[in-house]
Amino acid sequence: MSSGYKESAGLHTIANIAIGLVVGVAVMWFLILPAVTRSRQQDTNEDIVAFSDQIAEQKAQISALQTELESYRSTSQETENAQATASATQESYEIVMNIWDHFYTGDMGSESMVEELLKVNADSLGTVGRDTFDEMTEALYPQVCASLYAAAGESFDVANYETAIANLEQVMKMDEGYNDGAAVLLLAQAYEGSGEQDQANVLYQKIIEDYPDTDAAATAQEALDEQNGGGAGDEDDQEKDTDTADAGTEE
């Protein structure tokens, strides 16, 4: 009896232990593990949010730096432009004052003075500076244009087109419409003589548009017509031939 009781008590103990293990496993599975999983998920979500915030902050900082850099570049460019304008204006005033002294003392050639005056940015000058500049150019430009135009004509006549072009380009800087477009016409012809037909044609067309009803425009039109197979002149000849043939037929 005592022995049977002991065995029964032992079995109960083992059964209780087994039941305890099962209950412990069940508690862990259904209660503890989900709680741990939720905790880990929450930590992961918090890490993701924090990481996203860091990325957003970095992007904002980069954007701010880019904006600041662009602002600096813009300011720097404006400063450079202002400095360049100030430098050009100063140079223009220095040229005007220097040439003014030579202009009244007469110790410098007209072409040399004009060469310097062509470097001036007249629009940057103030009232006094511009008046002084205009007084000199009004006196110097016409005589220098006449001299260079005559020299260009002489160079053109001996097929020295390069020199003719150089002189006429200077004339264009002083007075583009010099002699009712004749200077532009001679420049176009010099370009044509040097083999630069496209450049010549551009100038021929410009003469026709800017100086209509002038001898220069008529000559420019003839030059373009010749390139197009004779143009109006050939058409007139053809009409005359047709009229003559018709008259002979009627007789």
Side-chain angles (χ1 to χ4, degrees), residues 98-114:
N98 179 44
I99 299 304
W100 178 256
D101 290 336
H102 293 297
F103 181 72
Y104 269 96
T105 57
D107 60 353
M108 189 175 186
S110 296
E111 290 190 13
S112 297
M113 286 190 286
V114 165

Side-chain angles (χ1 to χ4, degrees), residues 8 23 113 116 207:
S8 178
V23 172
M113 286 190 286
E116 290 299 308
I207 295 166

Side-chain angles (χ1 to χ4, degrees), residues 32-75:
I32 297 176
L33 284 179
V36 171
T37 301
R38 284 195 299 272
S39 178
R40 288 179 178 175
Q41 186 64 44
Q42 183 176 356
D43 291 340
T44 301
N45 292 339
E46 290 176 354
D47 291 340
I48 292 173
V49 171
F51 186 64
S52 298
D53 290 341
Q54 289 177 359
I55 292 176
E57 184 178 352
Q58 289 177 349
K59 286 183 177 180
Q61 187 173 0
I62 291 172
S63 177
L65 288 172
Q66 288 176 336
T67 301
E68 183 177 347
L69 177 59
E70 291 301 323
S71 175
Y72 171 77
R73 285 175 177 169
S74 176
T75 302

Side-chain angles (χ1 to χ4, degrees), residues 187-199:
L187 179 59
Q189 293 170 331
Y191 273 121
E192 185 172 18
S194 66
E196 299 182 58
Q197 192 63 59
D198 289 342
Q199 183 65 27

